[in-house]
Amino acid sequence: MADGDPTPGLWNWAIGNRIDAERVHGAIAGALERNVGPLGTDGAIMCDVYRVGGDFPTLADVYLAPAGVDEATAASAVAVRLETAVLLADDTLDPTRYVLAEPDGTLRPVHVDEIETDDGPERRGLRPCTGGDCDRTPERPAAA
């Protein structure tokens, strides 16, 4: 989740361009100042990177995400390093609402349509968050 609860675990991100796994691993490693490698890597944060269709065609599942690091802040730093948007789930119960980490590091609430496919979830139709549920998460710049 994109809330402030820094529990170790799993982060699921959708990246706004096709980017190879090594570059994604490097961006996450730089943002977290920790080793990052593919699944099965000993002593490191593990990251599975795969392709889907849609407007966010690269998915990154980050395993053993470190405690003490806010997911949205990490995603913001990764977006800056990759020079592309990163989409992550927010903490509301609205299944179409996400947090968008923009290439300049800005975080903002958005809505996107998700379709489950055989390859994984495709996300399309990014649009600004304009409803009453969006008042709780104002736009804010994030550290890169």
Side-chain angles (χ1 to χ4, degrees):
M1 274 191 205
D3 62 11
D5 181 21
T7 55
L10 175 64
W11 295 340
N12 302 108
W13 297 343
I15 301 170
N17 282 309
R18 289 196 176 272
I19 298 179
D20 63 53
E22 293 78 23
R23 187 163 172 228
V24 173
H25 294 166
I28 295 170
L32 299 178
E33 298 181 346
R34 297 195 169 117
N35 292 330
V36 176
L39 295 180
T41 304
D42 287 334
I45 295 168
M46 294 180 284
C47 181
D48 187 20
V49 178
Y50 54 101
R51 306 260 194 271
V52 294
D55 297 337
F56 292 83
T58 301
L59 300 183
D61 295 336
V62 181
Y63 298 90
L64 304 176
V69 177
D70 179 67
E71 180 182 4
T73 302
S76 172
V78 169
V80 170
R81 284 169 172 77
L82 293 176
E83 299 177 326
T84 193
V86 174
L87 192 66
L88 60 149
D90 76 352
D91 59 354
T92 69
L93 297 177
D94 185 338
T96 69
R97 185 170 149 177
Y98 291 81
V99 173
L100 181 70
E102 297 186 42
D104 68 357
T106 300
L107 296 169
R108 66 182 173 103
V110 296
H111 288 278
V112 67
D113 299 318
E114 182 175 307
I115 300 167
E116 191 62 43
T117 70
D118 290 342
D119 294 328
E122 291 185 7
R123 294 172 180 98
R124 300 176 189 273
L126 181 73
R127 56 201 178 276
C129 191
T130 59
D133 65 329
C134 299
D135 294 338
R136 292 181 290 122
T137 310
E139 286 190 21
R140 66 177 173 93

